[in-house]
Amino acid sequence: MNVVGMKSITAALVKSQQLEFKCDVQIPVPWGHMSAKVWGPDHGIPVLAVHGLMDNAGSYDTLAPLLPANIHLVCLELCGHGYSSSYPPGVVLHYFDHAYHVKLVVDYFKWDKVVLLGHSIGAITLFLFASLFPENVSRMISLDLVKPFSVSVKKLPVIMRGIITQMQGFSEVGPPLTVQYKEARQSIVDNYKGSVDEKAADILLVRSLKKKADAEDAYELPNDLRILVRTLTLSEEQIKVLVTNIRCPLLIIRATNGLKNFTEDVLKEYLNIYKSSSADFRIVNVAGSHHVHLTHPERVAPHIREFLLPLTSLRTSKL
């Protein structure tokens, strides 16, 4: 066989081992629909991925092709993000709403067990879901988030007052903003403070902008600020009780230049909780920023593949 033929066979083999994009889906919910990008075969191991605040399902576009080819990856878009429906005007999202939405999706697909993959706010959502419905979770992967955010009990009145004030200010959904593409891209790069570059911003903008038909370089950007209200008001003790109920194998992938919103003492305390409660707890550090899974997926994917090996190797052996 000549060199060209060998290269063709090699390329086909590599492609067969990659997770491939399949389709977009809409999951019906009482207020409209939740959108998702689906990767991999229908019979694959179910994996539900949830993005971070202000992101969308495109957050996993670079990571997905590097994951095992025999998983069924559903990259869900949270309410008000990407192509998913927003809540009706006057209704404000609570973080527990997101966990409820995940339950709706799990029930829709009739999954008895699912692997959870979450980044940032998506990881908070999945920490809550896994603690409330541990029987539905086979494994969980958290990208650059060690634990859900907590609030000081002593400051609770001030914090809750601030939340209600924000709710009043953001309750109405404004008309879409009209922006030029470069303006929208630069806004993401600036607002994410170095966590994403222009290439990553381009990926996220695919599902964030809508081209205006009557202009050459004009796009509509949703203007719903309700998703910015941080409505989680759990104390440290309440969070500890919740995460102690997570029994499944747990992998936390931390970015060296990612979130640092707690002390080393708090970190050690939660690591000890996970070591005691989880069937298989692992934590690894990778070089990069908060969005390292998007900007440098090759640093993240090997850890996920290894963590999923007990499931993916078993599924492969049955095929």
Coordinates of all heavy atoms in Angstrom, one line a residue, residues 51-60 78 80-82 119-122 144 183-208 221 227-228 230 255 257-259 288-295:
H51 N -22.8 24.6 30.7 CA -21.8 25.7 30.6 C -21.8 26.7 31.7 O -22.7 26.6 32.7 CB -22.1 26.4 29.3 CG -23.5 27.0 29.3 ND1 -23.8 28.2 29.9 CD2 -24.7 26.6 28.7 CE1 -25.1 28.4 29.7 NE2 -25.7 27.5 29.0
G52 N -21.0 27.7 31.7 CA -20.9 28.7 32.7 C -21.8 29.9 32.4 O -22.4 30.0 31.4
L53 N -21.8 30.9 33.3 CA -22.6 32.1 33.2 C -22.2 32.9 32.0 O -21.0 33.1 31.7 CB -22.4 32.9 34.4 CG -23.2 34.2 34.5 CD1 -24.7 33.8 34.7 CD2 -22.8 35.1 35.7
M54 N -23.2 33.3 31.2 CA -23.1 34.1 30.0 C -22.6 33.3 28.8 O -22.4 33.8 27.7 CB -22.2 35.3 30.2 CG -22.7 36.2 31.3 SD -24.3 37.0 30.9 CE -23.8 38.2 29.6
D55 N -22.2 32.0 29.0 CA -21.8 31.1 27.9 C -22.9 30.4 27.3 O -24.1 30.7 27.5 CB -20.7 30.1 28.4 CG -19.4 30.8 28.9 OD1 -19.2 32.0 28.5 OD2 -18.6 30.2 29.5
N56 N -22.6 29.4 26.5 CA -23.7 28.6 25.8 C -23.1 27.2 25.5 O -21.9 26.9 25.9 CB -24.2 29.3 24.6 CG -23.2 29.7 23.6 OD1 -22.4 28.9 23.2 ND2 -23.1 31.0 23.4
A57 N -23.8 26.4 24.8 CA -23.3 25.0 24.5 C -22.0 25.0 23.7 O -21.3 24.0 23.7 CB -24.4 24.3 23.7
G58 N -21.7 26.1 23.0 CA -20.5 26.2 22.2 C -19.3 26.2 23.1 O -18.1 25.9 22.6
S59 N -19.5 26.3 24.4 CA -18.4 26.3 25.4 C -17.6 24.9 25.3 O -16.4 24.8 25.7 CB -18.9 26.5 26.8 OG -17.9 26.4 27.8
Y60 N -18.3 23.9 24.8 CA -17.7 22.6 24.7 C -17.3 22.2 23.3 O -17.0 21.0 23.1 CB -18.7 21.5 25.3 CG -18.9 21.7 26.8 CD1 -20.0 22.3 27.3 CD2 -17.9 21.3 27.7 CE1 -20.2 22.5 28.7 CE2 -18.1 21.5 29.1 CZ -19.2 22.1 29.6 OH -19.4 22.3 30.9
L78 N -28.5 26.6 29.5 CA -29.3 27.1 30.6 C -30.4 28.0 30.1 O -30.3 28.7 29.1 CB -28.5 27.7 31.7 CG -27.5 26.8 32.4 CD1 -26.6 27.6 33.3 CD2 -28.2 25.7 33.2
G80 N -32.4 31.1 29.3 CA -31.9 32.4 29.0 C -30.6 32.5 28.3 O -30.1 33.6 28.0
H81 N -29.9 31.4 28.0 CA -28.6 31.3 27.4 C -28.8 30.7 26.0 O -29.6 29.8 25.8 CB -27.6 30.5 28.2 CG -27.3 31.2 29.5 ND1 -28.1 31.2 30.6 CD2 -26.1 31.8 29.9 CE1 -27.5 31.8 31.6 NE2 -26.3 32.2 31.2
G82 N -27.9 31.1 25.1 CA -27.9 30.4 23.8 C -29.2 30.5 23.1 O -29.9 31.5 23.0
H119 N -19.1 23.4 34.0 CA -18.1 24.5 34.2 C -18.7 25.7 34.9 O -19.8 26.1 34.6 CB -17.6 24.9 32.8 CG -16.8 26.1 32.8 ND1 -17.1 27.3 32.1 CD2 -15.6 26.4 33.4 CE1 -16.2 28.2 32.3 NE2 -15.2 27.7 33.1
S120 N -18.0 26.1 36.0 CA -18.3 27.3 36.7 C -19.8 27.2 37.2 O -20.1 26.4 38.0 CB -18.1 28.5 35.7 OG -18.1 29.7 36.4
I121 N -20.7 28.2 36.8 CA -22.0 28.1 37.2 C -22.7 26.8 36.9 O -23.6 26.3 37.6 CB -22.8 29.3 36.7 CG1 -22.2 30.6 37.1 CG2 -24.3 29.3 37.1 CD1 -22.1 30.9 38.6
G122 N -22.3 26.3 35.7 CA -22.9 25.0 35.3 C -22.4 23.9 36.3 O -23.2 23.0 36.6
D144 N -13.0 23.8 36.9 CA -12.6 25.0 37.6 C -13.6 25.5 38.7 O -13.8 26.7 38.8 CB -12.3 26.1 36.6 CG -11.3 27.1 37.3 OD1 -10.4 26.7 38.0 OD2 -11.4 28.3 37.0
E183 N -17.3 44.5 17.8 CA -17.7 45.1 19.1 C -18.1 44.0 20.1 O -17.7 44.0 21.3 CB -18.8 46.1 18.9 CG -19.3 46.7 20.2 CD -20.6 47.5 19.9 OE1 -21.1 47.6 18.8 OE2 -21.1 48.1 20.9
A184 N -18.9 43.1 19.6 CA -19.4 42.0 20.5 C -18.3 41.1 20.9 O -18.2 40.6 22.1 CB -20.5 41.2 19.7
R185 N -17.4 40.8 20.0 CA -16.3 39.9 20.3 C -15.3 40.5 21.3 O -14.9 39.9 22.3 CB -15.5 39.6 19.0 CG -14.3 38.6 19.3 CD -13.7 38.2 18.0 NE -13.2 39.3 17.1 CZ -12.8 39.1 15.9 NH1 -12.8 37.9 15.3 NH2 -12.4 40.2 15.2
Q186 N -15.0 41.8 21.1 CA -14.1 42.5 22.0 C -14.7 42.6 23.4 O -14.1 42.5 24.4 CB -13.8 43.9 21.5 CG -12.6 44.5 22.3 CD -11.4 43.7 22.3 OE1 -10.9 43.2 21.2 NE2 -10.7 43.6 23.4
S187 N -16.1 42.8 23.5 CA -16.8 42.8 24.7 C -16.6 41.6 25.5 O -16.4 41.6 26.8 CB -18.3 43.1 24.5 OG -19.0 43.1 25.7
I188 N -16.7 40.4 24.9 CA -16.5 39.1 25.5 C -15.1 39.0 26.1 O -14.8 38.6 27.2 CB -16.8 38.0 24.6 CG1 -18.3 37.9 24.4 CG2 -16.3 36.6 25.2 CD1 -18.8 36.8 23.5
V189 N -14.1 39.3 25.2 CA -12.7 39.2 25.6 C -12.4 40.1 26.8 O -11.7 39.7 27.8 CB -11.8 39.6 24.4 CG1 -10.3 39.7 24.9 CG2 -11.9 38.6 23.3
D190 N -13.0 41.3 26.8 CA -12.7 42.3 27.9 C -13.4 41.8 29.2 O -12.9 41.9 30.3 CB -13.2 43.7 27.5 CG -12.4 44.3 26.4 OD1 -11.2 43.8 26.2 OD2 -12.8 45.3 25.8
N191 N -14.7 41.5 29.1 CA -15.5 41.1 30.2 C -15.0 39.8 30.9 O -15.1 39.7 32.1 CB -17.0 40.9 29.9 CG -17.6 42.2 29.5 OD1 -17.2 43.3 30.0 ND2 -18.7 42.2 28.7
Y192 N -14.4 38.9 30.1 CA -13.9 37.7 30.7 C -12.4 37.8 31.2 O -11.9 36.9 31.7 CB -13.9 36.6 29.7 CG -15.3 36.0 29.5 CD1 -16.4 36.9 29.2 CD2 -15.6 34.7 29.5 CE1 -17.7 36.4 29.0 CE2 -16.9 34.2 29.3 CZ -17.9 35.0 29.1 OH -19.2 34.5 28.9
K193 N -11.9 39.1 31.1 CA -10.6 39.4 31.8 C -9.5 38.4 31.5 O -8.8 37.9 32.3 CB -10.8 39.5 33.3 CG -11.8 40.6 33.7 CD -12.0 40.7 35.2 CE -12.9 41.8 35.7 NZ -13.7 42.5 34.8
G194 N -9.4 38.1 30.2 CA -8.3 37.3 29.7 C -8.6 35.8 29.8 O -7.7 35.0 29.4
S195 N -9.8 35.4 30.2 CA -10.1 34.0 30.3 C -10.3 33.4 28.9 O -10.2 32.2 28.7 CB -11.3 33.8 31.2 OG -11.6 32.4 31.3
V196 N -10.8 34.2 28.0 CA -11.0 33.8 26.6 C -10.2 34.7 25.6 O -10.1 35.9 25.9 CB -12.5 33.7 26.2 CG1 -13.2 32.7 27.1 CG2 -13.1 35.1 26.2
D197 N -9.8 34.1 24.5 CA -9.2 35.0 23.5 C -10.2 35.2 22.3 O -11.4 34.8 22.5 CB -7.9 34.3 22.9 CG -8.2 32.8 22.5 OD1 -9.4 32.5 22.2 OD2 -7.2 32.1 22.4
E198 N -9.8 35.8 21.3 CA -10.8 36.1 20.2 C -11.3 34.9 19.5 O -12.5 34.8 19.2 CB -10.1 37.0 19.2 CG -9.9 38.4 19.6 CD -9.4 39.4 18.5 OE1 -9.1 38.8 17.4 OE2 -9.3 40.6 18.7
K199 N -10.5 33.9 19.4 CA -10.9 32.6 18.8 C -12.0 31.9 19.6 O -13.0 31.5 19.1 CB -9.7 31.6 18.7 CG -10.1 30.3 18.0 CD -8.8 29.5 17.9 CE -9.1 28.1 17.2 NZ -7.9 27.2 17.1
A200 N -11.8 31.9 21.0 CA -12.9 31.4 21.8 C -14.1 32.2 21.8 O -15.3 31.7 21.8 CB -12.3 31.2 23.3
A201 N -14.0 33.5 21.8 CA -15.1 34.4 21.7 C -15.9 34.2 20.4 O -17.2 34.2 20.5 CB -14.6 35.9 21.8
D202 N -15.2 33.9 19.3 CA -15.9 33.6 18.1 C -16.8 32.4 18.2 O -18.0 32.3 17.7 CB -14.9 33.4 16.9 CG -14.3 34.6 16.4 OD1 -14.9 35.7 16.6 OD2 -13.2 34.6 15.9
I203 N -16.4 31.4 18.9 CA -17.1 30.2 19.2 C -18.4 30.5 20.0 O -19.5 30.0 19.6 CB -16.2 29.1 19.9 CG1 -15.1 28.7 18.9 CG2 -17.1 27.9 20.3 CD1 -14.1 27.8 19.6
L204 N -18.2 31.2 21.0 CA -19.4 31.5 21.9 C -20.4 32.4 21.2 O -21.6 32.3 21.4 CB -18.9 32.2 23.2 CG -18.0 31.4 24.1 CD1 -17.5 32.2 25.3 CD2 -18.8 30.2 24.6
L205 N -19.9 33.3 20.3 CA -20.8 34.2 19.6 C -21.7 33.6 18.6 O -22.8 34.1 18.2 CB -20.0 35.3 18.9 CG -19.4 36.4 19.9 CD1 -18.5 37.4 19.1 CD2 -20.6 37.2 20.6
V206 N -21.4 32.4 18.1 CA -22.2 31.7 17.2 C -23.6 31.5 17.7 O -24.6 31.6 17.0 CB -21.6 30.3 16.8 CG1 -22.6 29.4 16.0 CG2 -20.3 30.4 16.1
R207 N -23.8 31.2 19.0 CA -25.1 30.9 19.6 C -25.6 32.1 20.4 O -26.6 32.0 21.1 CB -25.0 29.7 20.4 CG -24.7 28.4 19.5 CD -24.6 27.2 20.4 NE -25.9 26.7 20.8 CZ -26.6 25.8 20.1 NH1 -26.2 25.4 18.9 NH2 -27.8 25.4 20.5
S208 N -24.8 33.2 20.4 CA -25.2 34.4 21.2 C -25.8 35.5 20.3 O -26.6 36.3 20.8 CB -24.0 34.9 22.0 OG -23.6 34.0 22.9
L221 N -28.1 41.2 20.0 CA -27.6 40.5 21.2 C -28.7 40.6 22.3 O -29.2 41.6 22.6 CB -26.4 41.3 21.7 CG -25.7 40.7 22.9 CD1 -25.0 39.4 22.6 CD2 -24.6 41.7 23.4
I227 N -30.1 36.8 34.2 CA -29.2 35.7 34.4 C -28.0 36.1 35.2 O -27.2 35.3 35.7 CB -28.7 35.1 33.1 CG1 -28.0 36.2 32.2 CG2 -29.9 34.5 32.3 CD1 -27.5 35.7 30.9
L228 N -27.8 37.4 35.5 CA -26.7 37.9 36.2 C -26.9 38.0 37.7 O -26.0 38.2 38.5 CB -26.3 39.4 35.7 CG -25.9 39.5 34.3 CD1 -25.6 40.9 34.0 CD2 -24.6 38.6 34.0
R230 N -27.2 36.7 41.2 CA -26.7 35.6 41.9 C -27.6 35.3 43.1 O -27.5 35.9 44.2 CB -25.2 35.8 42.4 CG -24.2 35.9 41.3 CD -22.8 35.8 41.8 NE -21.9 35.7 40.7 CZ -20.6 35.4 40.8 NH1 -20.1 35.2 42.0 NH2 -19.8 35.3 39.8
A255 N -8.0 25.1 37.1 CA -7.1 25.9 36.2 C -6.1 26.7 37.1 O -6.6 27.3 38.1 CB -7.9 26.9 35.3
N257 N -4.8 29.5 36.7 CA -5.1 30.9 36.8 C -6.7 31.1 36.8 O -7.2 32.0 36.2 CB -4.5 31.7 35.6 CG -3.0 31.7 35.7 OD1 -2.4 31.9 36.7 ND2 -2.3 31.5 34.5
G258 N -7.3 30.1 37.4 CA -8.8 30.1 37.4 C -9.4 30.8 38.7 O -8.8 31.7 39.3
L259 N -10.6 30.3 39.1 CA -11.3 30.8 40.2 C -10.5 30.6 41.5 O -10.0 29.5 41.8 CB -12.6 30.2 40.4 CG -13.7 30.6 39.3 CD1 -15.0 29.8 39.6 CD2 -13.9 32.1 39.3
G288 N -3.6 27.1 32.8 CA -4.6 27.9 32.0 C -5.5 28.7 32.8 O -5.4 28.9 34.0
S289 N -6.5 29.4 32.2 CA -7.4 30.3 32.8 C -8.8 29.6 33.1 O -8.9 28.3 32.9 CB -7.6 31.5 31.9 OG -8.3 31.1 30.7
H290 N -9.7 30.3 33.5 CA -11.0 29.8 33.9 C -11.7 29.0 32.7 O -12.4 28.1 33.0 CB -11.9 30.9 34.3 CG -13.3 30.5 34.9 ND1 -13.4 29.5 35.9 CD2 -14.5 30.9 34.6 CE1 -14.7 29.4 36.2 NE2 -15.4 30.2 35.4
H291 N -11.4 29.4 31.5 CA -12.0 28.7 30.3 C -11.0 27.8 29.6 O -11.0 27.6 28.4 CB -12.5 29.8 29.3 CG -13.8 30.4 29.7 ND1 -13.9 31.4 30.6 CD2 -15.1 30.1 29.3 CE1 -15.2 31.8 30.8 NE2 -15.9 31.0 30.0
V292 N -10.1 27.2 30.4 CA -9.1 26.4 29.8 C -9.7 25.2 29.0 O -9.1 24.8 28.0 CB -8.1 25.9 30.9 CG1 -8.8 24.9 31.9 CG2 -6.9 25.2 30.2
H293 N -10.8 24.7 29.4 CA -11.5 23.6 28.6 C -11.8 24.1 27.2 O -11.9 23.2 26.3 CB -12.7 23.1 29.3 CG -13.8 24.1 29.3 ND1 -13.8 25.3 30.1 CD2 -15.0 24.1 28.6 CE1 -14.9 25.9 29.8 NE2 -15.7 25.3 29.0
L294 N -12.0 25.4 27.0 CA -12.4 25.9 25.7 C -11.1 26.4 24.9 O -11.0 26.1 23.7 CB -13.3 27.1 25.9 CG -13.7 27.9 24.6 CD1 -14.4 27.0 23.6 CD2 -14.6 29.1 25.0
T295 N -10.2 27.0 25.6 CA -9.0 27.6 24.9 C -7.9 26.6 24.7 O -7.2 26.6 23.7 CB -8.5 28.8 25.7 OG1 -8.1 28.4 27.0 CG2 -9.5 29.9 25.8

